[in-house]
């Protein structure tokens, strides 16, 4: 079975400081992993995805994530937070061929001016 | 290109009343998904369509929920009768289809349902 655990329900950072959102996964085989962002009253938007190619994945808006098999982790990072990054972030694992997605419970990112 | 369109955006009904949500996927996308997102939680899959066929409806509460995608394009999700616990956001997503691994799903803005 596939699942993800987002270790922090809420992260607060100051504008211009680094962002780290933590995610651990559980999968019975080599997983496909995603990070989605959800701004208020807007649809979920894909930030990046890992599909067994390069372990360091670069996404939109300066975000990146590193797949670490030994740690079963897929943490999301950004060097410098911007006010517009304030949103809900979801770590997601796919079940493979069926492409069904399993979402974590989300991490709310607050950016302090 | 236009994104996934959902309507209505908000709906308030009394319990035991019926309600329906509509979704129009991105043009050319063969796979359509309905998700349920409870407050403070991540979305959970209700049903997945490949063209007109519902290929995974194992999480759809069939006693009160139904869905259709008659011509393999837009889709309707219905609840009858609604219960207080159905208050949530109902999300629609689409993807190109064809069983491509890790295919990107594109989400609509959702319909926020409040059952009183």
């Amino acid at each position: 079975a596939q699942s993800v655990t987002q270790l922090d329900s809420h992260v607060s950072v100051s504008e211009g400081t680094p962002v780290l959102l933590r995610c651990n996964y559980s999968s019975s085989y080599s997983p496909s992993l995603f990070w989605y962002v959800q701004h208020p009253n807007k649809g979920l938007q894909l930030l990046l995805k890992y599909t067994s190619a390069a372990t360091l994945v670069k996404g939109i808006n300066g975000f990146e994530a590193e797949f670490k098999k030994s740690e079963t982790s897929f943490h999301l990072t950004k060097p410098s937070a911007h006010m517009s990054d304030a949103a809900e972030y979801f770590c997601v694992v796919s079940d493979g061929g069926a492409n069904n997605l399993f979402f974590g419970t989300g991490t709310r990112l607050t950016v302090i001016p | 290109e236009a994104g996934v369109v959902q309507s209505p955006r908000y709906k308030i009904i009394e319990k035991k009343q019926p309600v329906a949500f509509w979704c129009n996927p991105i043009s050319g996308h063969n796979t359509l998904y309905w998700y349920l997102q409870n407050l403070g939680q991540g979305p959970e899959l209700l049903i997945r369509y490949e063209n007109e066929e519902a290929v995974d409806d194992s999480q759809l509460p069939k006693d009160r929920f139904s869905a259709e995608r008659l011509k393999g394009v837009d889709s309707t999700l219905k609840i009858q009768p609604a219960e207080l616990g159905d208050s949530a956001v109902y999300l629609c997503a689409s993807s190109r289809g064809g069983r491509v691994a890790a295919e990107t799903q594109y989400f609509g803005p959702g319909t926020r349902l409040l059952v009183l």
Side-chain angles (χ1 to χ4, degrees), chain A residues 32 34 36 38 41-46 49-51 88 90 94-106, chain B residues 9-10 33 35 37 40-45 48 50 56 91 99-109 112:
Chain A
S32 294
F34 309 75
Y36 275 84
Q38 188 174 39
N41 298 316
K42 292 189 177 181
L44 286 154
Q45 181 183 20
L46 179 69
K49 64 180 176 182
Y50 166 77
T51 58
E88 189 86 17
F90 292 95
S94 170
D95 68 350
N99 277 321
N100 289 341
L101 300 182
F102 297 88
F103 284 75
T105 52
Chain B
R9 292 294 308 277
Y10 305 92
Y33 311 78
Y35 288 86
Q37 186 176 18
Q41 300 294 317
E44 299 175 5
L45 180 69
R48 186 177 95 247
E50 299 285 351
D56 186 347
L91 297 168
R99 293 191 169 270
V100 175
E103 189 177 49
T104 298
Q105 294 185 23
Y106 298 85
F107 285 80
R112 186 175 298 275

Side-chain angles (χ1 to χ4, degrees), chain B residues 7-55:
Chain B
S7 69
R9 292 294 308 277
Y10 305 92
K11 189 74 176 180
I12 301 175
I13 62 172
E14 295 187 346
K15 62 180 181 182
K16 301 185 180 180
Q17 294 301 306
V19 64
F21 315 123
W22 177 80
C23 172
N24 191 36
I26 292 173
S27 178
H29 281 194
N30 297 320
T31 306
L32 184 146
Y33 311 78
W34 282 104
Y35 288 86
L36 166 68
Q37 186 176 18
N38 285 307
L39 186 65
Q41 300 294 317
E44 299 175 5
L45 180 69
L46 288 173
I47 188 168
R48 186 177 95 247
Y49 281 93
E50 299 285 351
N51 299 302
E52 308 86 9
E53 183 182 1
V55 296

Side-chain angles (χ1 to χ4, degrees), chain A residues 42-90:
Chain A
K42 292 189 177 181
L44 286 154
Q45 181 183 20
L46 179 69
L47 281 177
L48 50 80
K49 64 180 176 182
Y50 166 77
T51 58
S52 75
T55 56
L56 182 62
V57 182
K58 294 188 182 299
I60 62 172
N61 300 334
F63 285 94
E64 62 182 35
E66 186 171 9
F67 174 76
K68 291 187 176 180
K69 186 175 181 179
S70 61
E71 300 177 8
T72 62
S73 69
F74 190 58
H75 301 334
L76 182 71
T77 60
K78 183 174 181 178
S80 176
H82 191 272
M83 293 299 296
S84 61
D85 294 329
E88 189 86 17
Y89 291 79
F90 292 95

Side-chain angles (χ1 to χ4, degrees), chain B residues 59-78:
Chain B
Q59 301 304 311
L60 189 73
K62 298 180 183 63
D63 56 336
R64 298 184 299 107
F65 286 66
S66 64
E68 60 183 17
R69 193 185 185 199
L70 295 177
K71 296 183 179 179
V73 181
D74 56 350
S75 175
T76 302
L77 178 68
K78 298 178 181 178

